[in-house]
């Protein structure tokens, strides 16, 4: 038995598939690569793979993480080469690293994510800077999160460990934000955008936003380095 941690991307071609479909996609790729994946025991065995944090539909990522257990030893270069060739368009394998079989589950150690949000440039930079300054200075902002089953108030500033910043590139605006992931909850990038528009009159063209997750961390370190 051997365990590997994978760093993979979720690009534009697979942007609109769900987390469950993405997991199934990875399982099919592992089978095509003829990797000796380990399975759970019982009446309904499943492949022993585990992700760090589910990615919402419509969001891309340059760094998703997945642990994979193999029932037979296989060297890292062979795992990398075989799986890389078996992945579909939109998914790239960036790194493969052997980790201890007793390593903690990714979901139990991930505590922060970083995002880059690209939007069309709509206004002068100084106005947006003033808006972000006002937002960043607030100590508490409460939103209402509605689902088909319930309506819940959430204080979102507790999940923002850093100030939201921005840069401009040609005719595009790039917002950068970090969001905490906790056992009791987290915030969503689109919720932050909606707050900026609804409560701070940022007038961002949210419907054109391209959200990309650029990092997943545990105590400030990339998950590929936490084993």
């Amino acid at each position: 038995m051997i365990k590997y941690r994978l760093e993979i991307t979720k690009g534009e071609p697979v942007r609109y598939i769900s987390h469950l479909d993405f997991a199934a996609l990875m399982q099919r790729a592992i089978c095509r690569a003829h990797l000796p994946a380990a399975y759970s025991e019982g009446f309904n065995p499943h492949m022993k793979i585990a992700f760090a944090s589910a990615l919402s539909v419509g969001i891309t990522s340059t760094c998703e993480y997945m642990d994979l257990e193999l029932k037979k030893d296989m060297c890292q270069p062979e795992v990398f080469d075989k799986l890389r060739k078996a992945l579909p368009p939109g998914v790239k394998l960036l790194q493969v690293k052997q980790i201890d079989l007793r390593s903690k589950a990714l979901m139990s150690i991930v505590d922060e994510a970083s995002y880059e949000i690209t939007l069309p440039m709509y206004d002068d930079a100084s106005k947006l800077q003033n808006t972000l300054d006002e937002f960043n200075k607030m100590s508490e902002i409460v939103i209402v999160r509605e689902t088909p089953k319930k309506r819940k108030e959430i204080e979102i500033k507790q999940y923002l460990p850093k100030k939201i910043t921005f840069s401009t590139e040609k005719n595009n605006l790039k917002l950068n934000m970090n969001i905490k992931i906790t056992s009791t909850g987290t915030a969503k990038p689109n919720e932050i955008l909606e707050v900026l528009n609804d409560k701070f009159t940022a007038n961002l063209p949210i419907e054109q936003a391209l959200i990309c997750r650029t990092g997943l961390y545990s105590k400030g370190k990339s998950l590929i380095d936490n084993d």
Side-chain angles (χ1 to χ4, degrees), residues 10-46:
K10 185 182 181 186
E12 284 294 330
V14 291
R15 176 181 173 188
Y16 290 105
I17 70 171
S18 69
H19 175 68
L20 288 177
D21 287 339
F22 187 66
L25 176 155
M26 290 302 301
Q27 291 182 55
R28 291 194 296 271
I30 291 164
C31 291
R32 284 195 300 272
H34 300 293
L35 300 181
Y39 284 78
S40 63
E41 299 179 354
F43 293 107
N44 186 27
H46 61 273

Side-chain angles (χ1 to χ4, degrees), residues 49-174:
I49 63 171
F51 289 84
S53 177
L55 195 64
S56 299
V57 173
I59 299 180
T60 59
S61 175
T62 59
C63 58
E64 293 304 287
Y65 296 93
M66 185 188 89
D67 286 349
L68 166 66
E69 289 189 35
L70 302 179
K71 60 186 177 183
K72 295 180 182 178
D73 286 358
M74 183 178 282
C75 66
Q76 184 273 347
E78 186 177 5
V79 173
F80 184 93
D81 289 341
K82 285 187 173 183
L83 186 55
R84 179 179 59 84
K85 293 173 183 176
L87 291 170
V91 184
K92 293 181 180 179
L93 181 61
L94 303 179
Q95 293 190 67
V96 173
K97 181 181 179 182
Q98 183 180 347
I99 61 173
D100 194 301
L101 281 169
R102 298 164 297 178
S103 294
K104 291 183 179 179
L106 282 167
M107 195 173 287
S108 71
I109 64 171
V110 63
D111 58 20
E112 191 171 328
S114 58
Y115 295 88
E116 181 179 80
I117 304 172
T118 303
L119 308 102
M121 191 65 186
Y122 72 101
D123 214 333
D124 66 276
S126 60
K127 180 178 178 181
L128 179 60
Q129 186 62 66
N130 290 337
T131 299
L132 289 179
D133 286 344
E134 185 180 355
F135 175 89
N136 289 329
K137 283 190 291 187
M138 296 290 289
S139 59
E140 183 177 289
I141 299 174
V142 176
I143 66 166
V144 176
R145 182 181 292 168
E146 294 191 42
T147 68
K149 293 185 178 181
K150 61 182 179 179
R151 190 172 184 270
K152 183 180 180 182
E153 286 192 347
I154 298 172
E155 197 290 293
I156 62 169
K157 284 303 293 284
Q158 64 179 309
Y159 299 120
L160 299 177
K162 299 178 181 179
K163 293 180 179 180
I164 296 177
T165 61
F166 80 95
S167 60
T168 56
E169 184 177 300
K170 295 182 179 180
N171 295 321
N172 287 328
L173 167 72
K174 292 184 181 292

Side-chain angles (χ1 to χ4, degrees), residues 158-222:
Q158 64 179 309
Y159 299 120
L160 299 177
K162 299 178 181 179
K163 293 180 179 180
I164 296 177
T165 61
F166 80 95
S167 60
T168 56
E169 184 177 300
K170 295 182 179 180
N171 295 321
N172 287 328
L173 167 72
K174 292 184 181 292
L175 288 173
N176 292 280
M177 64 179 71
N178 284 45
I179 299 176
K180 290 181 181 179
I181 300 171
T182 74
S183 59
T184 56
T186 186
K188 302 175 183 178
N190 61 300
E191 291 175 332
I192 308 300
L193 295 178
E194 289 169 1
V195 166
L196 287 170
N197 274 2
D198 296 343
K199 297 190 176 184
F200 295 86
T201 62
N203 198 32
L204 296 168
I206 296 176
E207 68 283 353
Q208 299 179 63
L210 297 175
I211 304 174
C212 180
R213 185 149 70 186
T214 57
L216 282 170
Y217 311 96
S218 176
K219 298 179 181 179
K221 293 173 63 178
S222 168

